[in-house]
Amino acid sequence: MTRLHDHLAEAIKDPDPIRVGDDLICLRFETMKVYSALGAVRHLLETGRVRRGDTLIDSSSGIYAHALALACHRYGMNCHIVGSTTVDRTLKIQLEILGATVEQVPSSNNLQLDQNLRVRRIGEILRDNPTYHWMQQYHDDIHYLGYRAVADLVAEVVPDGPLCLVGGVGTGASTGAIAAYLRERGRDVNLVGVQPFGSITFGAGHTQDPDMIIAGIGSSIEFRNVRHELYDRLHWVSFDYAMSAAVDLLRTSGVFAGLSAGAAYLSALWEHGCDRGRKHVFLAADTGTRYVESAFARHAEARPMASMRPLEIDSLDDLSVPWSAMSWDRRESALAHHEKLPSATPSH
């Protein structure tokens, strides 16, 4: 029976589970972070930390901006986005019509400069507007809450047996949360995180991708809501390899998804080949629309999937472009100097 939704945010948040190979499933989202934004805003309202009509502000490379604007529209909140230049014209116009105020930092191909400029700008805005609530998608584990529903869906799609979940780490509140909620059920889950080169989250700040930043899944600043101890394996994937895999995913399955999905697909295929005893699920967090010119238009350059294989490393000192993989073994980060989050399982 078709369900009638009260708001678009509720309608578009659910992913399409698509089988793309033997025991390999893609969770294809239109915009995955709607789960995160809806859950966070709802919790803030229920606990009285914000009221309807308040202004919520955050930084975003694009996906979270759309999600937060939809959540604010859904719950009668004002929204202010400090965006990366990866917030393209199509998305910017949607955000403005939804009622969000959007400003973008100067163009930069440098991940650290881009993120630092955005966070610095938020600080300036908050000084002038102290009543604004900073959502802090990079730090506040409130963003884990909405993903319990995704874990429930994964449990329905793959009800039995050992599981491997593969996806971009980003803020940690998607892959980390889904795996934590599944493990809370007693499920045997291996969690494989995907990162771009240059991201400090798992110690790759000393490396650099010569081609392009993969937006949304890496960080040049500390993300305090990443729970490193949830992850079993890590893959670092270059733009070139992620683009090639995203093209192959579209060509072979019809799934049109972003670069982080390409990187997750590539990593999931490798992990599946190494561990046939598990069903593998990878996340496609958004569509490929904003990567048409930068990636998909270059489809003639895509490498054959069989030609790509990771360098298996034991030390972060050995990280090497274009693709490296490492067993993380659920250890805490050596980078962590902040107060430790209370639990490996979301408690809200």
Side-chain angles (χ1 to χ4, degrees):
M1 180 178 178
T2 302
R3 178 184 172 193
L4 180 63
H5 297 279
D6 293 325
H7 193 274
L8 178 73
E10 306 291 346
I12 68 170
K13 72 181 194 310
D14 291 343
D16 300 308
I18 301 165
R19 188 184 304 281
V20 298
D22 293 337
D23 293 330
L24 181 60
I25 296 168
C26 173
L27 281 191
R28 182 264 185 197
F29 296 81
E30 183 168 340
T31 175
M32 181 181 69
K33 287 190 175 180
V34 168
Y35 274 102
S36 181
L38 284 174
V41 174
R42 186 166 52 243
H43 182 76
L44 289 170
L45 285 166
E46 289 172 350
T47 56
R49 290 172 60 187
V50 299
R51 294 178 297 178
R52 289 181 185 272
D54 285 354
T55 297
L56 307 182
I57 183 172
D58 215 342
S59 162
S60 174
S61 62
I63 303 176
Y64 184 77
H66 189 207
L68 184 59
L70 286 170
C72 287
H73 189 274
R74 167 73 174 82
Y75 288 112
M77 315 293 292
N78 295 314
C79 180
H80 190 108
I81 298 295
V82 178
S84 165
T85 52
T86 53
V87 177
D88 62 21
R89 175 174 168 79
T90 301
L91 176 56
K92 187 172 184 288
I93 289 172
Q94 288 184 71
L95 297 176
E96 290 172 346
I97 294 173
L98 284 168
T101 303
V102 185
E103 57 179 284
Q104 291 173 279
V105 299
S107 177
S108 173
N109 242 358
N110 181 287
L111 180 64
Q112 181 171 9
L113 180 60
D114 178 73
Q115 290 177 328
N116 283 337
L117 285 173
R118 284 188 270 146
V119 172
R120 187 182 308 144
R121 178 58 186 145
I122 285 177
E124 294 170 354
I125 294 168
L126 290 173
R127 281 194 294 274
D128 294 335
N129 302 274
T131 62
Y132 285 12
H133 180 85
W134 184 13
M135 292 298 293
Q136 298 194 75
Q137 65 150 326
Y138 302 147
H139 305 314
D140 195 337
D141 64 345
I142 194 175
H143 290 92
Y144 277 62
L145 301 178
Y147 289 110
R148 183 182 289 276
V150 183
D152 293 341
L153 187 146
V154 172
E156 289 179 17
V157 173
V158 188
D160 302 305
L163 182 68
C164 179
L165 178 68
V166 184
V169 176
T171 65
S174 55
T175 47
I178 297 167
Y181 285 128
L182 285 166
R183 289 171 182 167
E184 191 180 70
R185 293 165 165 260
R187 191 73 179 267
D188 176 5
V189 179
N190 271 3
L191 178 57
V192 178
V194 179
Q195 286 266 276
F197 289 95
S199 174
I200 73 165
T201 305
F202 286 89
H206 61 290
T207 64
Q208 187 174 358
D209 186 340
D211 290 314
M212 180 181 170
I213 298 166
I214 301 177
I217 64 169
S219 176
S220 67
I221 59 176
E222 183 187 12
F223 285 1
R224 292 199 297 271
N225 65 6
V226 175
R227 293 170 178 164
H228 299 77
E229 67 272 18
L230 292 173
Y231 292 84
D232 296 281
R233 296 264 296 163
L234 270 298
H235 284 247
W236 293 266
V237 180
S238 69
F239 168 85
D240 181 31
Y241 276 32
M243 179 271 287
S244 297
V247 168
D248 185 82
L249 181 63
L250 176 57
R251 181 178 290 130
T252 58
S253 70
V255 175
F256 181 48
L259 286 176
S260 67
Y265 170 54
L266 182 66
S267 303
L269 280 172
W270 180 261
E271 292 294 327
H272 181 48
C274 296
D275 186 359
R276 295 282 182 177
R278 292 178 183 272
K279 289 184 171 62
H280 287 67
V281 175
F282 70 94
L283 305 181
D286 65 340
T287 71
T289 303
R290 63 176 173 159
Y291 299 104
V292 169
E293 293 302 325
S294 63
F296 287 97
R298 297 169 55 180
H299 61 87
E301 304 170 27
R303 297 171 181 268
M305 294 293 285
S307 71
M308 298 182 287
R309 60 185 298 121
L311 172 68
E312 191 70 37
I313 62 173
D314 296 317
S315 168
L316 293 171
D317 294 334
D318 298 328
L319 275 168
S320 179
V321 177
W323 183 11
S324 295
M326 179 178 181
S327 293
W328 188 257
D329 298 326
R330 305 191 190 185
R331 63 181 182 269
E332 294 185 6
S333 171
L335 299 172
H337 58 77
H338 55 84
E339 182 179 353
K340 187 177 180 296
L341 290 167
S343 170
T345 301
S347 57
H348 298 285

